[in-house]
């Protein structure tokens, strides 16, 4: 315990400046504090407790609401300590005469320290005088939050070009800088201790915005957003708000601060630039809010869908979309998908009904606008693809016709040769049969080559439509088995469906494409296996993928040629020797198809021992 | 006593029609050949077949139109029609089936024997005394 000489004034240093207690330790001390004015007393009382000063303290505290009593637990702790004889009386709302009169120390002679905002100081002064307290016993400290701003900080804020304001815990403005006055049209005199930042409310922000600010404040976090505020004269302006909690040196939140930068001009300039760019685009562009309301459009969008582009309306009312003649489910549209996934989504199967009630095919791309980690809207681009669809149709028709014209003479020779082989035109001798069989083989090879080349053309022209359907791996393997098993009778290859009798594996995919790939892999395995060998088709399930495998004990792939087997027309040397008639397109087509459906083909092989091909499909 | 089933082949490519005719006659069927839609109509009116093998891509009137006409006719809609075409796209197959085709073969992808086996399913396997083989 510190031994204090009787009669000496004691100066207590606190973070808010020094505080002199009189020498007479019997003289009671009354602190009267309002709102943020309590702050200096808290630390000073703590120091007094440390120094074990034997005197009585009374704290009369008033604040707007109970949330502003953040220091009370600390004060109660101090009150319980032996060093302090501290009584605390709190009132919610404005300082009342009764609070002071009721708790004036008996016998008089108390010293009063009053700290708080000017209105409170004035009220306290008047009450104390009415109660007969001598003026020399009253020390006033008109205190506002900006007192804790160090002089240098204060000067910087005064000179700053961005607006700045500071509030206490209940939101009452404590300080504004000159830039803020210029920006808002309000003077410091009009707002400090008289208003809260609600005077800036424009009505353009929803409740969620205010909830977020308070949540960040109370968590001691920063919050930044572009918003629209309102000046004193009622005009609106765009502002970049940066909100910060204000901490005391004791690391407690004592108020809230905000920097405000006027971005109206900048925003208008960006908007004009964007409009110029958008107007020059060929496609209709709409900016859509998360709730589906159209916020902005460009001229091509208006040309497509009507005057004013439907600003303010829900996009589904304006952009009447159809898929195969019926409106798509809302959650399936790229706009809703982009909102849900946060990624760009595209759809090329839609048509839209234009302002002239014309139906046109569109490619719709929806890209989310992400700001400070949140999706604040969608940019939807509607591209009229009538021309592209026409070209696609011409290409498809050409392919169809080309395939027909190429196949017709080949099917003719096929059937004519088969007619001879069947003996319809009379019996043929052994030599004739040999020639006819050769002719037949060459013709079949030509048919396969034409078929594969047409498939490659079809794949590379991008006309392939990919479906998404529920698939059972067992059924799929069974279908492949059923198609290819008859062919094995000629070669006595044993084809096994390893999934038969096992539990099914269910997943989503395009069954037709998958079947084509598996048929190609199994067909290869059969073609390059010796008589009597086994080819096994199996499927297993890993965490996120289904893995099909085709295993043979055939000729295998030479190690130095393995890197090339997926190339167009490439055939490994041993494959050409074993079976001269391949086209070299089977694996290429399988790899392109796999790529289109997001699957992966891999293999392991050893020449002379066999090969296993793997097809991995994400579930 | 035997029943000879009559098959009408509607095919503009002579060598394909020939291959089909020769094979089917060997199987004992009575064959008529039409090279276009008009000949097909005449043949059907004169002697309605028990089954029609129909090509699709023909000059002037396509096989699709012939198929549609057949299936809309009260008189002829029950005659089974097997499409034999080298149009192998999904859209063409779908269109033909929707117009009422009973089956569809892409010629280059099927041996003639498969076509014959399919015909036998429709005609109940009733076969006449085999025709003498051509020398």
């Amino acid at each position: 315990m510190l031994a204090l000489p009787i009669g000496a004034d004691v100066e207590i240093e606190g973070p808010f400046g020094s505080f002199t207690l009189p020498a007479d330790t019997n003289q009671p001390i009354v602190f009267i504090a309002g709102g943020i004015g309590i702050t200096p007393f808290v630390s000073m009382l703590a120091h007094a407790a440390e120094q074990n000063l034997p005197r009585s303290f009374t704290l009369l505290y008033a604040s707007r609401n109970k949330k502003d009593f953040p220091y009370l637990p600390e004060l109660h702790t101090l009150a319980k300590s032996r060093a302090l004889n501290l009584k605390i009386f709190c009132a919610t709302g404005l300082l009342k005469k009764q609070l002071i009169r009721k708790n004036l120390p008996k016998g008089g002679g108390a010293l009063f320290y009053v700290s708080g905002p000017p209105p409170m100081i004035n009220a306290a002064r008047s009450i104390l005088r009415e109660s007969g307290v001598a003026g020399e016993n009253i020390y006033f400290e008109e205190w506002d939050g900006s007192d804790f701003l160090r002089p240098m900080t204060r000067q910087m804020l005064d000179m700053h070009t961005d607006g700045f304001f500071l509030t206490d815990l209940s939101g009452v403005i404590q300080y504004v800088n000159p830039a803020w006055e210029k920006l808002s049209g309000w003077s410091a005199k009009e707002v400090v201790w008289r208003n809260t930042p609600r005077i800036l409310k424009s009505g353009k922000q929803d409740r969620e915005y205010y909830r977020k600010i308070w949540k960040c404040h109370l968590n001691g976090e920063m919050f930044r957003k572009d918003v629209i505020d309102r000046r004193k004269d009622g005009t609106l302006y765009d502002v970049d708000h940066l909100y910060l909690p204000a901490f005391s040196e004791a690391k407690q939140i004592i108020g809230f601060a905000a920097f405000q930068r006027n971005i109206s001009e900048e925003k208008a300039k960006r908007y004009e630039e964007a409009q110029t760019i958008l107007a020059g685009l060929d496609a209709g562009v709409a900016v859509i809010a998360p709730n589906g309301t159209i916020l902005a459009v460009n001229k091509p969008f208006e040309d497509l869908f009507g005057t004013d582009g439907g600003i303010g309306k829900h996009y589904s009312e304006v952009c009447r979309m159809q898929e195969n003649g019926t409106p798509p489910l809302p959650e399936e549209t790229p706009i809703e998908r982009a909102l849900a996934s946060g990624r760009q989504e595209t759809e090329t199967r839609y048509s839209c009904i234009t302002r002239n009630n014309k139906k046109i095919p569109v490619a719709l791309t929806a890209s989310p606008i992400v700001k400070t980690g949140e999706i604040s809207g969608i940019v939807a681009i509607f591209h009229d693809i009538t021309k592209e669809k026409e070209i696609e149709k011409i290409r498809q028709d050409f392919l169809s016709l080309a395939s027909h014209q190429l196949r017709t003479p080949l099917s003719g020779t096929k059937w004519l040769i088969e007619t001879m082989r069947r003996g319809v035109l009379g019996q043929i001798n052994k030599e004739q049969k040999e020639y006819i069989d050769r002719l037949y083989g060459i013709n079949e090879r030509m048919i396969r080559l034409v078929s594969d080349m047409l498939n490659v053309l079809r794949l590379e022209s991008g006309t392939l439509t990919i479906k998404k359907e529920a698939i059972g791996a067992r059924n799929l393997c069974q279908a492949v088995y059923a198609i290819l098993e008859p062919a094995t009778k000629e070669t006595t290859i044993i084809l096994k469906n390893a999934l038969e009798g096992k539990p099914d594996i269910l997943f989503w995919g395009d069954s037709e494409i998958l079947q084509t790939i598996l048929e190609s892999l199994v067909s290869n395995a059969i073609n390059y296996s010796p008589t009597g060998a086994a080819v096994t088709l199996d499927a297993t399930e890993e965490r996120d993928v289904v893995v099909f495998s085709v295993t043979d004990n055939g000729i295998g792939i030479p190690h130095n040629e393995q890197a090339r087997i997926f190339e167009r027309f490439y055939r490994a040397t041993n494959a050409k020797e074993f079976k001269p008639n391949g086209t070299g397109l089977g694996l290429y087509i399988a790899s392109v198809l796999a790529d289109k459906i997001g699957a992966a083909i891999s293999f392991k092989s050893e020449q002379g021992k066999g090969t296993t091909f793997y097809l991995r499909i994400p579930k | 006593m035997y029943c000879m089933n009559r098959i009408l082949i509607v095919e503009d490519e002579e060598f394909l029609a020939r291959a089909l005719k020769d094979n089917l006659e060997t199987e004992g069927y009575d064959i008529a050949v039409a090279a276009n839609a008009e000949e097909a109509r005449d043949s059907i009116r004169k002697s309605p077949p028990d089954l029609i093998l129909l090509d699709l891509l023909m000059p002037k009137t396509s096989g699709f139109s012939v198929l549609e006409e057949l299936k809309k006719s009260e008189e002829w809609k029950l005659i089974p029609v097997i499409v034999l075409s080298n149009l192998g796209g999904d859209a063409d197959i779908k269109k033909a089936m929707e117009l009422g085709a009973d089956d569809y073969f892409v010629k280059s992808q099927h041996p003639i024997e498969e076509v014959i086996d399919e015909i036998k399913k429709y005609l109940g396997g009733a076969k006449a005394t085999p025709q003498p083989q051509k020398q």
Side-chain angles (χ1 to χ4, degrees), chain A residues 488-506:
Chain A
T488 62
K489 286 185 169 51
E490 289 173 29
T491 54
T492 68
I493 300 287
I494 305 156
L495 178 60
K496 296 179 188 173
N497 176 6
L499 266 192
E500 203 173 332
K502 282 190 195 166
D504 206 353
I505 302 168
L506 300 173

Side-chain angles (χ1 to χ4, degrees), chain A residues 19-38:
Chain A
F19 173 45
T20 304
L21 287 177
D24 180 1
T25 57
N26 289 322
Q27 197 170 13
I29 307 289
V30 178
F31 292 141
I32 301 176
I36 203 154
I38 194 174

Side-chain angles (χ1 to χ4, degrees), chain A residues 188-203:
Chain A
K189 201 174 165 186
E190 286 171 311
V191 301
V192 173
W193 290 112
R194 292 181 202 291
N195 270 303
T196 68
R198 281 199 188 100
I199 51 171
L200 303 171
K201 210 168 170 180
S202 64

Side-chain angles (χ1 to χ4, degrees), chain B residues 34-68:
Chain B
N36 53 55
E38 208 176 306
E39 284 181 23
R41 280 186 212 108
D42 288 341
S43 178
I44 294 168
R45 277 188 215 115
K46 213 190 286 183
S47 179
D50 300 298
L51 183 136
I52 297 172
L53 300 175
L54 178 64
D55 185 24
L56 289 178
L57 222 59
M58 292 190 294
K60 285 193 192 166
T61 309
S62 78
F64 287 114
S65 301
V66 173
L67 178 58
E68 194 175 7

Side-chain angles (χ1 to χ4, degrees), chain A residues 400-401 403-405 407-409 411-416 418-419 422-426 440 447 451 512, chain B residues 13 15-16 19-20 22-23 26-27 57 84 86-87 90 92 107-113 115-116 133-134:
Chain A
S400 184
L401 192 62
S403 77
H404 178 275
Q405 298 302 85
R407 282 176 174 148
T408 296
S411 55
T413 45
K414 178 184 171 87
W415 283 1
L416 287 170
E418 281 171 3
T419 305
R422 292 183 83 229
V424 170
L425 302 177
Y440 190 75
I447 289 175
S451 185
E512 205 177 313
Chain B
E13 295 283 357
F15 51 84
L16 285 166
L20 283 167
D22 288 348
N23 277 277
T26 305
E27 296 292 329
L57 222 59
L84 298 178
N86 274 317
L87 287 174
D90 291 340
D92 297 310
K107 285 181 274 207
S108 63
Q109 292 175 6
H110 296 275
I112 204 165
E113 201 148 333
V115 177
I116 296 169
Q133 284 187 352
K134 292 186 169 80

